[in-house]
Amino acid sequence: MKVLALIFTLLLANAATAGDNYKPLNMRVDLDDSTLSIVSYNVENLFDTKHDEGKGDWEFLPLKLPNGAPNKAKIDACNRMSQDWQRKQCLEVDWTNERLQIKLAKITEALNLQGDLPDVLALIEVENANVLAMLAEKLGYSTKNMHISTGSDARGINVAILYKDRLVEYKSHAEEKVVDESGRAFTTRNILVVNFKVKGTDQIVGVYVNHWPSQGNDVKNRIAAANTLNKLIDAQTKTIGQNYNVVAVGDFNTIQYDRPNPIIETIEGRENGLRDALILLKKTDENTFYQLPTGTSYYSYGGTWDYLDKILVSQSLLEKNKDLKVISNSFRILGFSELSKPFEAKNPMRFSFGSTQERVPNRYNFSANSPNQTGVSDHYPVRILLDIRTN
């Protein structure tokens, strides 16, 4: 266990690389007919402006009704919140259609930075199919090529997939509730899988989108999510057969100090377990690895980076001489400067008081009126490429 912790500490260290092998990193990609792109992005609270019955989406509603009258339902709900900061935040955010359109435009700009739009785009923190369709149209995906989960998250956020039919065709989809050993369901996001046939081959790839319980929950809740993911993968593999491949993506909310560690022990530790694409990159291309951001999210209070957003791949995608396989050095944390800002710890109550951290994700300001003031997201997107050898 100490060795595993040391490996993760080294991976998350902010190292510098020098020497003759150094090459500046280009994170854009131009896709060809043999390269399949999969991107995962936590877009930080993408809500529409309408209330979903039974969900606590009050913060992301307008303060006024279309007729100009105060939105009493929102105001009353905000005032019932138990925490002072929650009430204040809820009453300050006036989530109008104009502000929603800015949010959609910023997500679109962020994804366009990485080059050609991904063949499969996994999205985390999306409220419903209505706002997902808005984003699909903004990006240029067909609204026919989208799927969203129906989990029990209290605020109503879900995970989703948009896809292009350039290289893949839809085969099936499913979702699974996160449950503990006794079968009790957690109030959290379901795990969504969409299965695709890769055109010109006999290979099927299942893209599993995760948003596990946060660090505010006990680690056993994330272990339950990991077991649920394993169960869903096993069921889909049994149904689809030997040509099935897995790419699990999303916000796993797991840090290196989780004990036991849901990724290392529950996902990777089992027979034929998934493999972390970041580790693959470290093994095959250190020059690229050390030029990536030190994580996908930054905890400003503690002054620590975390690699919450992951791409995990089945070992079948690592086999040589196969029609579908991971390009081993293709994993990227897409920390473009346009998505970043320096963080200065000016509050003496913060652990990192007095320090400045560069290249931190520029989280979204939901009260801003101008695109120049909003930021983008508190997470960076991540990407992997698969190589296709057609028959």
Side-chain angles (χ1 to χ4, degrees), residues 320-377:
K320 296 180 179 179
N321 302 318
K322 189 177 178 183
D323 291 344
L324 183 68
K325 62 181 180 180
V326 170
I327 299 175
S328 60
N329 66 342
S330 67
F331 176 79
R332 297 290 184 272
I333 300 172
L334 300 171
F336 294 97
S337 59
E338 293 89 342
L339 311 183
S340 311
K341 70 172 185 179
F343 173 77
E344 298 179 48
K346 297 179 179 179
N347 186 339
M349 298 301 292
R350 293 183 184 273
F351 179 77
S352 54
F353 174 63
S355 66
T356 299
Q357 178 66 50
E358 301 293 336
R359 216 174 166 186
V360 170
N362 188 6
R363 68 182 309 150
Y364 205 82
N365 177 3
F366 292 91
S367 295
N369 292 312
S370 166
N372 296 328
Q373 301 171 335
T374 60
V376 186
S377 172

Side-chain angles (χ1 to χ4, degrees), residues 12-175:
L12 296 176
N14 190 10
T17 300
D20 295 338
N21 293 327
Y22 179 84
K23 297 178 182 178
L25 181 60
N26 179 10
M27 292 191 292
R28 289 182 58 87
V29 64
D30 298 316
L31 298 174
D32 57 33
D33 290 342
S34 65
T35 306
L36 177 69
S37 171
I38 300 174
V39 170
S40 176
Y41 195 12
N42 183 325
V43 291
E44 190 183 3
N45 293 324
L46 179 58
F47 283 76
D48 65 13
T49 60
K50 299 178 181 179
H51 175 56
D52 284 1
E53 191 64 35
K55 299 297 183 180
D57 58 359
W58 302 105
E59 179 181 342
F60 297 100
L61 295 175
L63 286 168
K64 292 183 179 180
L65 300 175
N67 63 7
N71 188 346
K72 190 174 183 299
K74 168 173 176 156
I75 294 169
D76 289 347
C78 293
N79 283 323
R80 288 194 299 268
M81 293 179 176
S82 58
Q83 299 294 323
D84 289 342
W85 68 268
Q86 287 178 317
R87 289 194 298 273
K88 182 175 183 294
Q89 186 169 285
C90 185
L91 290 168
E92 285 180 350
V93 174
D94 184 15
W95 195 237
T96 62
N97 184 62
E98 291 75 18
R99 285 179 168 166
L100 170 58
Q101 294 305 316
I102 293 174
K103 172 78 170 170
L104 293 169
K106 296 298 287 189
I107 297 170
T108 301
E109 290 173 10
L111 289 165
N112 283 332
L113 288 171
Q114 60 94 51
D116 292 336
L117 285 175
D119 295 286
V120 180
L121 173 60
L123 297 160
I124 295 87
E125 294 195 13
V126 180
E127 183 185 21
N128 53 36
N130 180 45
V131 77
L132 178 62
M134 293 182 193
L135 180 60
E137 291 180 345
K138 199 84 172 178
L139 286 166
Y141 290 92
S142 170
T143 56
K144 295 179 180 179
N145 295 349
M146 65 179 225
H147 296 277
I148 187 165
S149 66
T150 58
S152 58
D153 178 82
R155 295 191 306 132
I157 57 173
N158 292 287
V159 299
I161 277 184
L162 300 175
Y163 68 93
K164 299 188 294 186
D165 52 15
R166 183 181 74 97
L167 296 176
V168 298
E169 57 186 55
Y170 167 80
K171 184 175 176 66
S172 64
H173 75 281
E175 59 181 301

